[in-house]
Amino acid sequence: MAPKPRIYVSTPVDANLSKDQLNFKKKILLQLANDGLDPQEFHVSGIPAQKSWSFQRAVDLMRRCHGALILGFAQWQDMTPNPSVIMPTEYNHFEGALGIAFQKEMLIIKEEAVSYRGVMFSGGGEFVLSIPQNAGSSWLKS
């Protein structure tokens, strides 16, 4: 039996997600598994399930994956510019850049309030799917 294709999952830790964000994440990861893919998430599943995140471990894992899923959930707000800017976790940018550098197939999903900056930039050559804020798992059925 051939191994399942590994998918690098870039997402904030569950403790930093809202209820809707967590439900959406769980539902999409379940869908990946049901489609025969093997999600790889630090501290959670696959090769890095029992490993802490580091730059080198992220590089090593991305090399072993077939693709990457970047979940750009709203995490923090910079009030300095006017209007303010809502950003995802900083790890999304690093891990997304790894996926681009290693020419991995990528799915980038961002909440609509998250700024089109960094790896979420729609003009950067990768398709970025914008979803409603706090879409929750029910949105995936629509």
Side-chain angles (χ1 to χ4, degrees), residues 32-109:
L32 288 178
N34 288 342
D35 288 344
L37 302 172
D38 187 12
Q40 306 289 308
E41 183 181 356
F42 281 94
H43 304 285
V44 178
S45 64
I47 295 167
Q50 303 299 319
K51 296 181 181 175
S52 60
W53 189 96
S54 72
F55 289 112
Q56 190 57 54
R57 286 187 183 127
V59 169
D60 294 342
L61 179 61
M62 188 65 76
R63 285 188 175 126
R64 298 177 72 178
C65 288
H66 293 80
L69 170 64
I70 312 297
L71 295 175
F73 294 120
Q75 292 295 290
W76 58 273
Q77 185 171 8
D78 181 358
M79 302 295 283
T80 307
N82 189 11
S84 64
V85 175
I86 297 175
M87 298 295 289
T89 177
E90 60 274 23
Y91 296 97
N92 284 159
H93 300 296
F94 179 78
E95 294 164 337
L98 283 178
I100 293 167
F102 290 132
Q103 299 180 334
K104 303 296 181 177
E105 296 291 328
M106 296 206 343
L107 174 58
I108 302 171
I109 301 175

Side-chain angles (χ1 to χ4, degrees), residues 2-16:
K4 295 179 183 179
R6 294 184 193 109
I7 304 299
Y8 190 111
V9 179
S10 175
T11 181
V13 296
D14 291 354
N16 291 342

Side-chain angles (χ1 to χ4, degrees), residues 68-70 106-110 119-120 126-130:
L69 170 64
I70 312 297
M106 296 206 343
L107 174 58
I108 302 171
I109 301 175
K110 72 169 210 65
V119 75
M120 306 297 160
E126 298 296 326
F127 179 74
V128 179
L129 176 63
S130 184

